[in-house]
Amino acid sequence: MSTKIRVLLAEDELALAQIIKESLETRNFEVIHGKNGEEAFDFFLKENPDILVLDVMMPLKDGFSVAKDVRKINKNVPIIFLTAKSQTQDVVDGFAFGGNDYLKKPFSMEELIVRMQSLLGRIENKTNEDTIAIGNYLFYPIKQLLVHNYTVENLTHRETALLQLLIENKNEIIDREVILKKIWNTTDFFSGRSMDVFITKLRKKLSLDTTIQIINIRSQGYKLTC
């Protein structure tokens, strides 16, 4: 990447766009602003940005359509959607059209910058996140989401870490102490009870697919089967 990270910002609310642009430019970003979807896509073709920040609702071409066209050309450039919508279907659509993350308006500039840096860091370090399929679910570890058809479950950091560990050891028993040391950093009684509670929460969040089970192996640990 160049010294300055090149951001393509597509936002038709000019006042908001100016605030975002000025804020990012004080943080060593170079911002290219498209006032509508068509202009933004033209800039994408000409300017080769490092990351795209796309408003969903725009004239001429909406953000999802821009992302869909971008993905025909470039599968890896990070895309963040900005949306005033909160419906589950909009979140699912955003991922389906190739988005890597989304922010609901209103949002803080600090949150936008942290999410951008996270996505750019994964690209720079060649550790791009793959979606993990588990049964009929799609698991997004970085986004901390579980998606099943049109149902989206938000996971906590600890739920995400626990599920990822179970998936990495699918169909194998993971010793209780191994889980506790990796995720709770202690094996005391109270942490053990906390782990059991988190297992119950994960079972509930995975309950839309009956082929997925988290089995308690008495006096040993847990095993994820699918």
PDB file of all heavy atoms in Angstrom, residues 158-194:
ATOM      1  N   ARG A 158     -16.378 -13.742  23.633  1.00  0.00           N
ATOM      2  CA  ARG A 158     -16.109 -15.060  24.229  1.00  0.00           C
ATOM      3  C   ARG A 158     -16.906 -16.154  23.519  1.00  0.00           C
ATOM      4  O   ARG A 158     -16.398 -17.267  23.317  1.00  0.00           O
ATOM      5  CB  ARG A 158     -16.420 -15.026  25.723  1.00  0.00           C
ATOM      6  CG  ARG A 158     -15.967 -16.270  26.475  1.00  0.00           C
ATOM      7  CD  ARG A 158     -15.821 -15.990  27.952  1.00  0.00           C
ATOM      8  NE  ARG A 158     -14.544 -15.343  28.242  1.00  0.00           N
ATOM      9  CZ  ARG A 158     -14.216 -14.853  29.433  1.00  0.00           C
ATOM     10  NH1 ARG A 158     -15.072 -14.907  30.433  1.00  0.00           N
ATOM     11  NH2 ARG A 158     -13.039 -14.294  29.627  1.00  0.00           N
ATOM     12  N   GLU A 159     -18.150 -15.880  23.143  1.00  0.00           N
ATOM     13  CA  GLU A 159     -18.920 -16.860  22.370  1.00  0.00           C
ATOM     14  C   GLU A 159     -18.231 -17.169  21.048  1.00  0.00           C
ATOM     15  O   GLU A 159     -18.166 -18.327  20.617  1.00  0.00           O
ATOM     16  CB  GLU A 159     -20.339 -16.332  22.109  1.00  0.00           C
ATOM     17  CG  GLU A 159     -21.243 -16.353  23.317  1.00  0.00           C
ATOM     18  CD  GLU A 159     -22.556 -15.631  23.069  1.00  0.00           C
ATOM     19  OE1 GLU A 159     -22.622 -14.779  22.153  1.00  0.00           O
ATOM     20  OE2 GLU A 159     -23.517 -15.911  23.796  1.00  0.00           O
ATOM     21  N   THR A 160     -17.704 -16.132  20.411  1.00  0.00           N
ATOM     22  CA  THR A 160     -16.996 -16.307  19.137  1.00  0.00           C
ATOM     23  C   THR A 160     -15.768 -17.182  19.316  1.00  0.00           C
ATOM     24  O   THR A 160     -15.533 -18.120  18.542  1.00  0.00           O
ATOM     25  CB  THR A 160     -16.585 -14.938  18.560  1.00  0.00           C
ATOM     26  OG1 THR A 160     -17.763 -14.146  18.349  1.00  0.00           O
ATOM     27  CG2 THR A 160     -15.844 -15.101  17.238  1.00  0.00           C
ATOM     28  N   ALA A 161     -14.972 -16.895  20.332  1.00  0.00           N
ATOM     29  CA  ALA A 161     -13.754 -17.667  20.577  1.00  0.00           C
ATOM     30  C   ALA A 161     -14.079 -19.120  20.902  1.00  0.00           C
ATOM     31  O   ALA A 161     -13.395 -20.050  20.430  1.00  0.00           O
ATOM     32  CB  ALA A 161     -12.962 -17.033  21.720  1.00  0.00           C
ATOM     33  N   LEU A 162     -15.125 -19.326  21.684  1.00  0.00           N
ATOM     34  CA  LEU A 162     -15.521 -20.680  22.074  1.00  0.00           C
ATOM     35  C   LEU A 162     -16.023 -21.468  20.867  1.00  0.00           C
ATOM     36  O   LEU A 162     -15.623 -22.629  20.656  1.00  0.00           O
ATOM     37  CB  LEU A 162     -16.600 -20.607  23.155  1.00  0.00           C
ATOM     38  CG  LEU A 162     -17.144 -21.937  23.704  1.00  0.00           C
ATOM     39  CD1 LEU A 162     -16.011 -22.804  24.230  1.00  0.00           C
ATOM     40  CD2 LEU A 162     -18.177 -21.665  24.807  1.00  0.00           C
ATOM     41  N   LEU A 163     -16.857 -20.845  20.051  1.00  0.00           N
ATOM     42  CA  LEU A 163     -17.374 -21.534  18.869  1.00  0.00           C
ATOM     43  C   LEU A 163     -16.245 -21.856  17.894  1.00  0.00           C
ATOM     44  O   LEU A 163     -16.196 -22.945  17.312  1.00  0.00           O
ATOM     45  CB  LEU A 163     -18.445 -20.689  18.184  1.00  0.00           C
ATOM     46  CG  LEU A 163     -19.073 -21.297  16.917  1.00  0.00           C
ATOM     47  CD1 LEU A 163     -19.673 -22.673  17.210  1.00  0.00           C
ATOM     48  CD2 LEU A 163     -20.133 -20.361  16.346  1.00  0.00           C
ATOM     49  N   GLN A 164     -15.333 -20.924  17.709  1.00  0.00           N
ATOM     50  CA  GLN A 164     -14.217 -21.154  16.784  1.00  0.00           C
ATOM     51  C   GLN A 164     -13.362 -22.328  17.267  1.00  0.00           C
ATOM     52  O   GLN A 164     -12.931 -23.165  16.461  1.00  0.00           O
ATOM     53  CB  GLN A 164     -13.377 -19.892  16.653  1.00  0.00           C
ATOM     54  CG  GLN A 164     -12.399 -19.940  15.488  1.00  0.00           C
ATOM     55  CD  GLN A 164     -11.980 -18.551  15.029  1.00  0.00           C
ATOM     56  OE1 GLN A 164     -12.248 -17.560  15.706  1.00  0.00           O
ATOM     57  NE2 GLN A 164     -11.348 -18.468  13.887  1.00  0.00           N
ATOM     58  N   LEU A 165     -13.128 -22.414  18.565  1.00  0.00           N
ATOM     59  CA  LEU A 165     -12.345 -23.518  19.112  1.00  0.00           C
ATOM     60  C   LEU A 165     -13.067 -24.850  18.900  1.00  0.00           C
ATOM     61  O   LEU A 165     -12.440 -25.860  18.534  1.00  0.00           O
ATOM     62  CB  LEU A 165     -12.087 -23.281  20.601  1.00  0.00           C
ATOM     63  CG  LEU A 165     -11.219 -24.318  21.329  1.00  0.00           C
ATOM     64  CD1 LEU A 165      -9.832 -24.382  20.708  1.00  0.00           C
ATOM     65  CD2 LEU A 165     -11.133 -23.990  22.812  1.00  0.00           C
ATOM     66  N   LEU A 166     -14.369 -24.858  19.116  1.00  0.00           N
ATOM     67  CA  LEU A 166     -15.146 -26.085  18.908  1.00  0.00           C
ATOM     68  C   LEU A 166     -15.117 -26.515  17.440  1.00  0.00           C
ATOM     69  O   LEU A 166     -14.984 -27.706  17.129  1.00  0.00           O
ATOM     70  CB  LEU A 166     -16.592 -25.868  19.365  1.00  0.00           C
ATOM     71  CG  LEU A 166     -16.820 -25.752  20.875  1.00  0.00           C
ATOM     72  CD1 LEU A 166     -18.220 -25.212  21.159  1.00  0.00           C
ATOM     73  CD2 LEU A 166     -16.618 -27.102  21.564  1.00  0.00           C
ATOM     74  N   ILE A 167     -15.237 -25.549  16.531  1.00  0.00           N
ATOM     75  CA  ILE A 167     -15.226 -25.863  15.104  1.00  0.00           C
ATOM     76  C   ILE A 167     -13.859 -26.392  14.682  1.00  0.00           C
ATOM     77  O   ILE A 167     -13.764 -27.351  13.892  1.00  0.00           O
ATOM     78  CB  ILE A 167     -15.614 -24.628  14.275  1.00  0.00           C
ATOM     79  CG1 ILE A 167     -17.094 -24.286  14.499  1.00  0.00           C
ATOM     80  CG2 ILE A 167     -15.346 -24.855  12.788  1.00  0.00           C
ATOM     81  CD1 ILE A 167     -17.521 -22.971  13.880  1.00  0.00           C
ATOM     82  N   GLU A 168     -12.801 -25.785  15.188  1.00  0.00           N
ATOM     83  CA  GLU A 168     -11.448 -26.235  14.845  1.00  0.00           C
ATOM     84  C   GLU A 168     -11.191 -27.663  15.299  1.00  0.00           C
ATOM     85  O   GLU A 168     -10.329 -28.361  14.740  1.00  0.00           O
ATOM     86  CB  GLU A 168     -10.412 -25.296  15.477  1.00  0.00           C
ATOM     87  CG  GLU A 168     -10.346 -23.924  14.817  1.00  0.00           C
ATOM     88  CD  GLU A 168      -9.503 -22.934  15.611  1.00  0.00           C
ATOM     89  OE1 GLU A 168      -9.024 -23.316  16.714  1.00  0.00           O
ATOM     90  OE2 GLU A 168      -9.334 -21.798  15.142  1.00  0.00           O
ATOM     91  N   ASN A 169     -11.940 -28.106  16.302  1.00  0.00           N
ATOM     92  CA  ASN A 169     -11.776 -29.470  16.830  1.00  0.00           C
ATOM     93  C   ASN A 169     -13.045 -30.296  16.634  1.00  0.00           C
ATOM     94  O   ASN A 169     -13.366 -31.158  17.456  1.00  0.00           O
ATOM     95  CB  ASN A 169     -11.407 -29.409  18.316  1.00  0.00           C
ATOM     96  CG  ASN A 169     -10.064 -28.756  18.554  1.00  0.00           C
ATOM     97  OD1 ASN A 169      -9.042 -29.402  18.518  1.00  0.00           O
ATOM     98  ND2 ASN A 169     -10.080 -27.445  18.792  1.00  0.00           N
ATOM     99  N   LYS A 170     -13.753 -30.026  15.537  1.00  0.00           N
ATOM    100  CA  LYS A 170     -15.037 -30.685  15.278  1.00  0.00           C
ATOM    101  C   LYS A 170     -14.908 -32.209  15.333  1.00  0.00           C
ATOM    102  O   LYS A 170     -13.935 -32.777  14.824  1.00  0.00           O
ATOM    103  CB  LYS A 170     -15.570 -30.251  13.908  1.00  0.00           C
ATOM    104  CG  LYS A 170     -16.996 -30.701  13.633  1.00  0.00           C
ATOM    105  CD  LYS A 170     -17.546 -30.062  12.372  1.00  0.00           C
ATOM    106  CE  LYS A 170     -16.836 -30.549  11.130  1.00  0.00           C
ATOM    107  NZ  LYS A 170     -17.506 -30.074   9.895  1.00  0.00           N
ATOM    108  N   ASN A 171     -15.878 -32.824  15.982  1.00  0.00           N
ATOM    109  CA  ASN A 171     -15.945 -34.286  16.132  1.00  0.00           C
ATOM    110  C   ASN A 171     -14.860 -34.849  17.048  1.00  0.00           C
ATOM    111  O   ASN A 171     -14.646 -36.066  17.085  1.00  0.00           O
ATOM    112  CB  ASN A 171     -15.902 -34.995  14.775  1.00  0.00           C
ATOM    113  CG  ASN A 171     -17.080 -34.629  13.896  1.00  0.00           C
ATOM    114  OD1 ASN A 171     -18.213 -34.534  14.379  1.00  0.00           O
ATOM    115  ND2 ASN A 171     -16.837 -34.405  12.618  1.00  0.00           N
ATOM    116  N   GLU A 172     -14.194 -33.972  17.782  1.00  0.00           N
ATOM    117  CA  GLU A 172     -13.201 -34.409  18.758  1.00  0.00           C
ATOM    118  C   GLU A 172     -13.551 -33.836  20.130  1.00  0.00           C
ATOM    119  O   GLU A 172     -14.088 -32.737  20.231  1.00  0.00           O
ATOM    120  CB  GLU A 172     -11.797 -33.941  18.365  1.00  0.00           C
ATOM    121  CG  GLU A 172     -11.299 -34.507  17.042  1.00  0.00           C
ATOM    122  CD  GLU A 172      -9.936 -33.951  16.677  1.00  0.00           C
ATOM    123  OE1 GLU A 172      -9.349 -33.214  17.500  1.00  0.00           O
ATOM    124  OE2 GLU A 172      -9.464 -34.245  15.571  1.00  0.00           O
ATOM    125  N   ILE A 173     -13.227 -34.579  21.168  1.00  0.00           N
ATOM    126  CA  ILE A 173     -13.475 -34.095  22.525  1.00  0.00           C
ATOM    127  C   ILE A 173     -12.387 -33.084  22.899  1.00  0.00           C
ATOM    128  O   ILE A 173     -11.202 -33.346  22.726  1.00  0.00           O
ATOM    129  CB  ILE A 173     -13.459 -35.257  23.545  1.00  0.00           C
ATOM    130  CG1 ILE A 173     -14.544 -36.278  23.211  1.00  0.00           C
ATOM    131  CG2 ILE A 173     -13.651 -34.719  24.970  1.00  0.00           C
ATOM    132  CD1 ILE A 173     -14.457 -37.551  24.046  1.00  0.00           C
ATOM    133  N   ILE A 174     -12.832 -31.917  23.367  1.00  0.00           N
ATOM    134  CA  ILE A 174     -11.884 -30.917  23.877  1.00  0.00           C
ATOM    135  C   ILE A 174     -11.990 -30.931  25.395  1.00  0.00           C
ATOM    136  O   ILE A 174     -13.072 -30.731  25.959  1.00  0.00           O
ATOM    137  CB  ILE A 174     -12.190 -29.501  23.365  1.00  0.00           C
ATOM    138  CG1 ILE A 174     -12.473 -29.501  21.869  1.00  0.00           C
ATOM    139  CG2 ILE A 174     -11.040 -28.561  23.682  1.00  0.00           C
ATOM    140  CD1 ILE A 174     -12.865 -28.141  21.333  1.00  0.00           C
ATOM    141  N   ASP A 175     -10.883 -31.164  26.030  1.00  0.00           N
ATOM    142  CA  ASP A 175     -10.856 -31.221  27.484  1.00  0.00           C
ATOM    143  C   ASP A 175     -11.298 -29.891  28.087  1.00  0.00           C
ATOM    144  O   ASP A 175     -10.959 -28.817  27.590  1.00  0.00           O
ATOM    145  CB  ASP A 175      -9.434 -31.553  27.948  1.00  0.00           C
ATOM    146  CG  ASP A 175      -9.375 -31.843  29.434  1.00  0.00           C
ATOM    147  OD1 ASP A 175      -9.572 -33.008  29.819  1.00  0.00           O
ATOM    148  OD2 ASP A 175      -9.137 -30.893  30.212  1.00  0.00           O
ATOM    149  N   ARG A 176     -12.066 -29.957  29.162  1.00  0.00           N
ATOM    150  CA  ARG A 176     -12.570 -28.754  29.819  1.00  0.00           C
ATOM    151  C   ARG A 176     -11.429 -27.800  30.183  1.00  0.00           C
ATOM    152  O   ARG A 176     -11.522 -26.588  29.983  1.00  0.00           O
ATOM    153  CB  ARG A 176     -13.338 -29.120  31.096  1.00  0.00           C
ATOM    154  CG  ARG A 176     -14.686 -29.774  30.865  1.00  0.00           C
ATOM    155  CD  ARG A 176     -15.362 -30.104  32.200  1.00  0.00           C
ATOM    156  NE  ARG A 176     -15.628 -28.909  32.974  1.00  0.00           N
ATOM    157  CZ  ARG A 176     -16.740 -28.185  32.872  1.00  0.00           C
ATOM    158  NH1 ARG A 176     -17.672 -28.528  32.001  1.00  0.00           N
ATOM    159  NH2 ARG A 176     -16.919 -27.122  33.632  1.00  0.00           N
ATOM    160  N   GLU A 177     -10.347 -28.359  30.720  1.00  0.00           N
ATOM    161  CA  GLU A 177      -9.245 -27.504  31.142  1.00  0.00           C
ATOM    162  C   GLU A 177      -8.574 -26.807  29.961  1.00  0.00           C
ATOM    163  O   GLU A 177      -8.107 -25.674  30.087  1.00  0.00           O
ATOM    164  CB  GLU A 177      -8.219 -28.326  31.934  1.00  0.00           C
ATOM    165  CG  GLU A 177      -8.707 -28.724  33.317  1.00  0.00           C
ATOM    166  CD  GLU A 177      -7.577 -29.172  34.217  1.00  0.00           C
ATOM    167  OE1 GLU A 177      -6.414 -29.196  33.752  1.00  0.00           O
ATOM    168  OE2 GLU A 177      -7.853 -29.482  35.389  1.00  0.00           O
ATOM    169  N   VAL A 178      -8.543 -27.477  28.813  1.00  0.00           N
ATOM    170  CA  VAL A 178      -7.967 -26.861  27.616  1.00  0.00           C
ATOM    171  C   VAL A 178      -8.790 -25.646  27.213  1.00  0.00           C
ATOM    172  O   VAL A 178      -8.249 -24.575  26.911  1.00  0.00           O
ATOM    173  CB  VAL A 178      -7.889 -27.875  26.457  1.00  0.00           C
ATOM    174  CG1 VAL A 178      -7.516 -27.181  25.151  1.00  0.00           C
ATOM    175  CG2 VAL A 178      -6.876 -28.968  26.778  1.00  0.00           C
ATOM    176  N   ILE A 179     -10.114 -25.802  27.207  1.00  0.00           N
ATOM    177  CA  ILE A 179     -10.998 -24.691  26.847  1.00  0.00           C
ATOM    178  C   ILE A 179     -10.827 -23.537  27.828  1.00  0.00           C
ATOM    179  O   ILE A 179     -10.679 -22.376  27.433  1.00  0.00           O
ATOM    180  CB  ILE A 179     -12.470 -25.145  26.821  1.00  0.00           C
ATOM    181  CG1 ILE A 179     -12.683 -26.239  25.773  1.00  0.00           C
ATOM    182  CG2 ILE A 179     -13.394 -23.950  26.527  1.00  0.00           C
ATOM    183  CD1 ILE A 179     -14.073 -26.856  25.795  1.00  0.00           C
ATOM    184  N   LEU A 180     -10.832 -23.870  29.117  1.00  0.00           N
ATOM    185  CA  LEU A 180     -10.736 -22.829  30.147  1.00  0.00           C
ATOM    186  C   LEU A 180      -9.416 -22.070  30.061  1.00  0.00           C
ATOM    187  O   LEU A 180      -9.384 -20.844  30.173  1.00  0.00           O
ATOM    188  CB  LEU A 180     -10.908 -23.448  31.534  1.00  0.00           C
ATOM    189  CG  LEU A 180     -12.336 -23.902  31.872  1.00  0.00           C
ATOM    190  CD1 LEU A 180     -12.351 -24.744  33.139  1.00  0.00           C
ATOM    191  CD2 LEU A 180     -13.256 -22.694  32.026  1.00  0.00           C
ATOM    192  N   LYS A 181      -8.325 -22.781  29.839  1.00  0.00           N
ATOM    193  CA  LYS A 181      -7.022 -22.121  29.752  1.00  0.00           C
ATOM    194  C   LYS A 181      -6.924 -21.226  28.528  1.00  0.00           C
ATOM    195  O   LYS A 181      -6.366 -20.135  28.576  1.00  0.00           O
ATOM    196  CB  LYS A 181      -5.908 -23.165  29.736  1.00  0.00           C
ATOM    197  CG  LYS A 181      -5.652 -23.818  31.086  1.00  0.00           C
ATOM    198  CD  LYS A 181      -4.586 -24.903  30.989  1.00  0.00           C
ATOM    199  CE  LYS A 181      -4.349 -25.572  32.339  1.00  0.00           C
ATOM    200  NZ  LYS A 181      -3.367 -26.687  32.235  1.00  0.00           N
ATOM    201  N   LYS A 182      -7.485 -21.679  27.401  1.00  0.00           N
ATOM    202  CA  LYS A 182      -7.397 -20.915  26.161  1.00  0.00           C
ATOM    203  C   LYS A 182      -8.265 -19.670  26.183  1.00  0.00           C
ATOM    204  O   LYS A 182      -7.891 -18.620  25.665  1.00  0.00           O
ATOM    205  CB  LYS A 182      -7.789 -21.799  24.972  1.00  0.00           C
ATOM    206  CG  LYS A 182      -6.689 -22.731  24.478  1.00  0.00           C
ATOM    207  CD  LYS A 182      -7.158 -23.505  23.262  1.00  0.00           C
ATOM    208  CE  LYS A 182      -6.050 -24.363  22.686  1.00  0.00           C
ATOM    209  NZ  LYS A 182      -5.000 -23.577  22.016  1.00  0.00           N
ATOM    210  N   ILE A 183      -9.472 -19.782  26.764  1.00  0.00           N
ATOM    211  CA  ILE A 183     -10.455 -18.697  26.639  1.00  0.00           C
ATOM    212  C   ILE A 183     -10.664 -17.927  27.942  1.00  0.00           C
ATOM    213  O   ILE A 183     -10.873 -16.714  27.921  1.00  0.00           O
ATOM    214  CB  ILE A 183     -11.787 -19.263  26.104  1.00  0.00           C
ATOM    215  CG1 ILE A 183     -11.546 -19.890  24.729  1.00  0.00           C
ATOM    216  CG2 ILE A 183     -12.856 -18.177  26.018  1.00  0.00           C
ATOM    217  CD1 ILE A 183     -12.754 -20.568  24.118  1.00  0.00           C
ATOM    218  N   TRP A 184     -10.602 -18.614  29.084  1.00  0.00           N
ATOM    219  CA  TRP A 184     -10.809 -17.938  30.364  1.00  0.00           C
ATOM    220  C   TRP A 184      -9.495 -17.650  31.095  1.00  0.00           C
ATOM    221  O   TRP A 184      -9.484 -16.928  32.077  1.00  0.00           O
ATOM    222  CB  TRP A 184     -11.731 -18.774  31.271  1.00  0.00           C
ATOM    223  CG  TRP A 184     -13.189 -18.529  31.033  1.00  0.00           C
ATOM    224  CD1 TRP A 184     -14.019 -17.703  31.751  1.00  0.00           C
ATOM    225  CD2 TRP A 184     -14.019 -19.108  30.007  1.00  0.00           C
ATOM    226  NE1 TRP A 184     -15.289 -17.742  31.239  1.00  0.00           N
ATOM    227  CE2 TRP A 184     -15.328 -18.590  30.169  1.00  0.00           C
ATOM    228  CE3 TRP A 184     -13.786 -20.005  28.977  1.00  0.00           C
ATOM    229  CZ2 TRP A 184     -16.389 -18.946  29.339  1.00  0.00           C
ATOM    230  CZ3 TRP A 184     -14.843 -20.363  28.148  1.00  0.00           C
ATOM    231  CH2 TRP A 184     -16.115 -19.840  28.327  1.00  0.00           C
ATOM    232  N   ASN A 185      -8.425 -18.262  30.649  1.00  0.00           N
ATOM    233  CA  ASN A 185      -7.099 -18.089  31.252  1.00  0.00           C
ATOM    234  C   ASN A 185      -7.032 -18.546  32.703  1.00  0.00           C
ATOM    235  O   ASN A 185      -6.167 -18.112  33.469  1.00  0.00           O
ATOM    236  CB  ASN A 185      -6.641 -16.620  31.166  1.00  0.00           C
ATOM    237  CG  ASN A 185      -6.493 -16.166  29.733  1.00  0.00           C
ATOM    238  OD1 ASN A 185      -5.916 -16.876  28.907  1.00  0.00           O
ATOM    239  ND2 ASN A 185      -7.029 -14.999  29.420  1.00  0.00           N
ATOM    240  N   THR A 186      -7.959 -19.404  33.087  1.00  0.00           N
ATOM    241  CA  THR A 186      -7.964 -19.962  34.443  1.00  0.00           C
ATOM    242  C   THR A 186      -8.827 -21.216  34.432  1.00  0.00           C
ATOM    243  O   THR A 186      -9.683 -21.371  33.554  1.00  0.00           O
ATOM    244  CB  THR A 186      -8.518 -18.952  35.476  1.00  0.00           C
ATOM    245  OG1 THR A 186      -8.528 -19.570  36.771  1.00  0.00           O
ATOM    246  CG2 THR A 186      -9.933 -18.520  35.140  1.00  0.00           C
ATOM    247  N   THR A 187      -8.608 -22.099  35.391  1.00  0.00           N
ATOM    248  CA  THR A 187      -9.394 -23.339  35.455  1.00  0.00           C
ATOM    249  C   THR A 187     -10.196 -23.418  36.756  1.00  0.00           C
ATOM    250  O   THR A 187     -10.579 -24.502  37.176  1.00  0.00           O
ATOM    251  CB  THR A 187      -8.479 -24.566  35.335  1.00  0.00           C
ATOM    252  OG1 THR A 187      -7.508 -24.548  36.393  1.00  0.00           O
ATOM    253  CG2 THR A 187      -7.769 -24.597  33.993  1.00  0.00           C
ATOM    254  N   ASP A 188     -10.454 -22.284  37.391  1.00  0.00           N
ATOM    255  CA  ASP A 188     -11.143 -22.331  38.682  1.00  0.00           C
ATOM    256  C   ASP A 188     -12.619 -22.695  38.503  1.00  0.00           C
ATOM    257  O   ASP A 188     -13.167 -22.725  37.401  1.00  0.00           O
ATOM    258  CB  ASP A 188     -10.979 -21.016  39.450  1.00  0.00           C
ATOM    259  CG  ASP A 188     -11.612 -19.812  38.753  1.00  0.00           C
ATOM    260  OD1 ASP A 188     -12.656 -19.973  38.098  1.00  0.00           O
ATOM    261  OD2 ASP A 188     -11.051 -18.705  38.853  1.00  0.00           O
ATOM    262  N   PHE A 189     -13.267 -22.973  39.624  1.00  0.00           N
ATOM    263  CA  PHE A 189     -14.648 -23.457  39.627  1.00  0.00           C
ATOM    264  C   PHE A 189     -15.599 -22.479  38.948  1.00  0.00           C
ATOM    265  O   PHE A 189     -16.445 -22.867  38.135  1.00  0.00           O
ATOM    266  CB  PHE A 189     -15.105 -23.712  41.066  1.00  0.00           C
ATOM    267  CG  PHE A 189     -16.568 -24.042  41.194  1.00  0.00           C
ATOM    268  CD1 PHE A 189     -17.038 -25.327  40.940  1.00  0.00           C
ATOM    269  CD2 PHE A 189     -17.481 -23.063  41.554  1.00  0.00           C
ATOM    270  CE1 PHE A 189     -18.392 -25.634  41.039  1.00  0.00           C
ATOM    271  CE2 PHE A 189     -18.832 -23.358  41.658  1.00  0.00           C
ATOM    272  CZ  PHE A 189     -19.296 -24.646  41.406  1.00  0.00           C
ATOM    273  N   PHE A 190     -15.469 -21.203  39.258  1.00  0.00           N
ATOM    274  CA  PHE A 190     -16.408 -20.206  38.742  1.00  0.00           C
ATOM    275  C   PHE A 190     -16.266 -20.037  37.226  1.00  0.00           C
ATOM    276  O   PHE A 190     -17.260 -19.852  36.521  1.00  0.00           O
ATOM    277  CB  PHE A 190     -16.201 -18.873  39.467  1.00  0.00           C
ATOM    278  CG  PHE A 190     -16.519 -18.945  40.923  1.00  0.00           C
ATOM    279  CD1 PHE A 190     -15.492 -18.976  41.870  1.00  0.00           C
ATOM    280  CD2 PHE A 190     -17.837 -19.017  41.372  1.00  0.00           C
ATOM    281  CE1 PHE A 190     -15.782 -19.068  43.219  1.00  0.00           C
ATOM    282  CE2 PHE A 190     -18.131 -19.102  42.719  1.00  0.00           C
ATOM    283  CZ  PHE A 190     -17.095 -19.133  43.651  1.00  0.00           C
ATOM    284  N   SER A 191     -15.037 -20.122  36.735  1.00  0.00           N
ATOM    285  CA  SER A 191     -14.836 -20.053  35.289  1.00  0.00           C
ATOM    286  C   SER A 191     -15.453 -21.269  34.605  1.00  0.00           C
ATOM    287  O   SER A 191     -16.013 -21.176  33.508  1.00  0.00           O
ATOM    288  CB  SER A 191     -13.342 -19.960  34.951  1.00  0.00           C
ATOM    289  OG  SER A 191     -12.788 -18.772  35.454  1.00  0.00           O
ATOM    290  N   GLY A 192     -15.356 -22.422  35.275  1.00  0.00           N
ATOM    291  CA  GLY A 192     -15.980 -23.637  34.735  1.00  0.00           C
ATOM    292  C   GLY A 192     -17.481 -23.491  34.615  1.00  0.00           C
ATOM    293  O   GLY A 192     -18.081 -23.902  33.603  1.00  0.00           O
ATOM    294  N   ARG A 193     -18.112 -22.894  35.621  1.00  0.00           N
ATOM    295  CA  ARG A 193     -19.570 -22.687  35.564  1.00  0.00           C
ATOM    296  C   ARG A 193     -19.903 -21.674  34.467  1.00  0.00           C
ATOM    297  O   ARG A 193     -20.904 -21.815  33.761  1.00  0.00           O
ATOM    298  CB  ARG A 193     -20.096 -22.182  36.915  1.00  0.00           C
ATOM    299  CG  ARG A 193     -19.822 -23.069  38.099  1.00  0.00           C
ATOM    300  CD  ARG A 193     -20.107 -24.537  37.829  1.00  0.00           C
ATOM    301  NE  ARG A 193     -21.499 -24.762  37.441  1.00  0.00           N
ATOM    302  CZ  ARG A 193     -21.939 -25.855  36.818  1.00  0.00           C
ATOM    303  NH1 ARG A 193     -21.081 -26.796  36.472  1.00  0.00           N
ATOM    304  NH2 ARG A 193     -23.210 -25.988  36.523  1.00  0.00           N
ATOM    305  N   SER A 194     -19.050 -20.645  34.326  1.00  0.00           N
ATOM    306  CA  SER A 194     -19.266 -19.656  33.267  1.00  0.00           C
ATOM    307  C   SER A 194     -19.191 -20.321  31.902  1.00  0.00           C
ATOM    308  O   SER A 194     -20.010 -20.047  31.019  1.00  0.00           O
ATOM    309  CB  SER A 194     -18.216 -18.547  33.373  1.00  0.00           C
ATOM    310  OG  SER A 194     -18.305 -17.664  32.276  1.00  0.00           O
TER     311      SER A 194
END
